[in-house]
Amino acid sequence: SKVANSNFFQQNMKHCIPIFNPLIFSGIFMVLGALSLIVGVAFIASSNNILLTSPIIHENSINQQVHTIEINKNQINPNKHLGIMYQIDNFHQNVRSYVAQFDVTQWSSRNFSSIMVDKYCRKTQNISQVPDHPCGLIYQTRVTDDYIIGTNNLNFTLNNNILRHSDTVSNILFGEAFKQMPNWQRTAEWMRPSPFAKVTKIYGFVDQKDLITEFNQQLEIFNLTIYSQGEHKGEGIDGKPLVYSEYRKVVLFQTGMLGGKQETYAFGLISVIFGCISLGIMLLFIGIHFVKMKKGVDKKIKEWVVE
C-alpha cells in the first residue's frame, strides 16, 4: 500500500514479525533466580559465623561498671578485628543536625580560632568567645565514656584508628586543628550524624596480637570482661546540667566481606527474595507459553515460516 503524499510503498513482511517466545524469558529468569538463591543462602549461612554479641547495658554513671561476657571460640575469628561499639536508642542525632549545630569550615581549619564563631556556631567578633574545640550541639552531646575490654590475664590494647583512610590522610573534612584533639577519631566518628533514631558508633578495635595470644590460651569458652565508665550529659538550654541518655548499649562485633552480621544477613535475605521473585516470573512465562501453544499461535508462526 502506498503511504499518502509519499513516493514510497509500505508492505507487511511476515518474516519480519518478531517471534515472542516466553521460554527464552523463562530461561533467563530461571538462571537469575537460581544464582540469587545460591548467593543469598551462602551469605545468610556466612552471617551465622560473624560475631555480634547481645547488647551490654552501661548505665549513665561516673562509677566504673563491670560486665562479663562468655563467647564460644567458634564464634570468634582471631584473624579478623574484634571491635567494640556503643548504641543509644531513640537519640535522633540527625534531627539535631538540622539546626546550625556544627560548622564544617571549622572542622577543616588549621586553627579553630581562625573561624569566628562561638560555641553555639553563631558568628562573633569577640575572640574570647571562640572555642578551642568544634562548636555546636553535635559536639556538646558527644559520648565521652571509657571502655576497657580484656580477659583475666590481659587487658587488650584498643586501637582507636576507626575512620576511613581518606579521613586520616586528607584535611578536606577534618583539618589540622581537629586532628590535634585527644582521641580525635572517636570525636570525628561521633560528629557524623546518624540518619536513624538509634545512634551506633564504633569505639575501637582490639589489637590483633592481643586477640590471637588470648585466643590460643582460652579453652572452648572465651571469657571477656568489659569495664565501662562515663556520663552522657552536658549543659542544657537554661545552663542546667542535662542528661542526654540514661544508658548506652555496648556491643562486640566482627565483620565479614560485606560488613557486619546484620548487613551480611540483610544482603543474603534480599538476594533470596529476588531469587524467589525471579523464579515466580519464570513460572509466569512458562504459563504464558502453554497458553499460547493452546491457542495455536506458535503453529501459525510455523506456517508462515514454511510459506
Side-chain angles (χ1 to χ4, degrees):
S1 61
K2 184 177 180 181
V3 181
N5 301 323
S6 175
N7 294 326
F8 295 95
F9 288 84
Q10 182 181 14
Q11 59 181 332
N12 293 326
M13 301 179 65
K14 297 180 180 179
H15 304 302
C16 291
I17 299 176
I19 299 176
F20 173 71
N21 191 341
L23 290 180
I24 296 177
F25 291 94
S26 63
I28 294 174
F29 281 103
M30 180 184 69
V31 174
L32 287 176
L35 290 177
S36 298
L37 285 177
I38 293 173
V39 171
V41 171
F43 275 105
I44 290 176
S46 65
S47 68
N48 295 327
N49 299 323
I50 300 177
L51 176 67
L52 181 66
T53 63
S54 300
I56 298 170
I57 303 300
H58 163 69
E59 297 180 356
N60 200 52
S61 173
I62 59 174
N63 298 323
Q64 189 178 73
Q65 301 167 45
V66 182
H67 317 274
T68 303
I69 182 172
E70 294 183 351
I71 306 174
N72 290 326
K73 287 186 66 174
N74 57 10
Q75 292 182 278
I76 298 180
N77 186 345
N79 298 316
K80 291 187 177 181
H81 293 291
L82 175 64
I84 179 172
M85 61 183 176
Y86 58 90
Q87 301 173 339
I88 308 176
D89 292 335
N90 300 318
F91 189 72
H92 299 278
Q93 188 184 28
N94 195 40
V95 176
R96 291 171 168 81
S97 68
Y98 286 115
V99 191
Q101 292 300 347
F102 61 90
D103 192 322
V104 177
T105 59
Q106 188 194 38
W107 294 4
S108 58
S109 64
R110 292 186 176 182
N111 194 324
F112 287 135
S113 61
S114 63
I115 309 299
M116 298 298 292
V117 293
D118 61 12
K119 66 178 182 179
Y120 301 107
C121 293
R122 298 174 302 194
K123 297 294 183 180
T124 181
Q125 299 299 324
N126 189 348
I127 189 64
S128 63
Q129 295 180 350
V130 178
D132 58 352
H133 54 74
C135 64
L137 188 61
I138 298 296
Y139 177 80
Q140 295 174 24
T141 58
R142 72 193 186 282
V143 172
T144 57
D145 295 345
D146 290 323
Y147 300 108
I148 302 174
I149 179 174
T151 63
N152 295 331
N153 303 320
L154 174 69
N155 284 338
F156 295 141
T157 301
L158 282 179
N159 181 1
N160 63 355
N161 187 20
I162 58 179
L163 294 182
R164 305 183 186 95
H165 179 69
S166 59
D167 289 333
T168 60
V169 299
S170 172
N171 293 329
I172 295 178
L173 184 57
F174 302 108
E176 296 178 7
F178 201 106
K179 293 178 180 178
Q180 291 176 1
M181 295 191 302
N183 296 323
W184 74 270
Q185 291 202 30
R186 289 174 183 161
T187 303
E189 170 77 358
W190 173 262
M191 297 296 281
R192 283 195 172 98
S194 171
F196 307 105
K198 176 191 292 185
V199 174
T200 301
K201 303 291 182 179
I202 299 175
Y203 182 82
F205 292 96
V206 172
D207 183 83
Q208 201 72 25
K209 294 181 180 179
D210 290 349
L211 179 61
I212 294 176
T213 300
E214 286 301 303
F215 185 85
N216 294 331
Q217 294 180 1
Q218 297 287 331
L219 299 177
E220 294 183 0
I221 301 298
F222 202 60
N223 294 299
L224 294 174
T225 303
I226 298 177
Y227 303 91
S228 61
Q229 184 176 7
E231 289 185 304
H232 191 208
K233 67 179 184 179
E235 180 181 336
I237 298 176
D238 55 358
K240 297 180 180 179
L242 177 66
V243 176
Y244 299 128
S245 64
E246 296 292 345
Y247 64 90
R248 267 78 67 205
K249 295 179 179 179
V250 184
V251 178
L252 300 180
F253 71 97
Q254 287 187 311
T255 58
M257 183 184 301
L258 296 178
K261 182 184 185 72
Q262 295 175 339
E263 292 81 5
T264 304
Y265 179 83
F267 179 83
L269 183 61
I270 292 173
S271 297
V272 169
I273 294 174
F274 178 79
C276 293
I277 293 175
S278 298
L279 293 180
I281 296 175
M282 176 201 72
L283 295 176
L284 176 63
F285 277 111
I286 291 177
I288 293 175
H289 170 73
F290 284 109
V291 170
K292 290 176 68 67
M293 286 290 292
K294 185 177 181 180
K295 292 182 178 180
V297 175
D298 289 353
K299 182 178 179 181
K300 186 175 181 180
I301 294 177
K302 290 180 181 179
E303 292 175 354
W304 288 345
V305 174
V306 172
E307 293 177 0

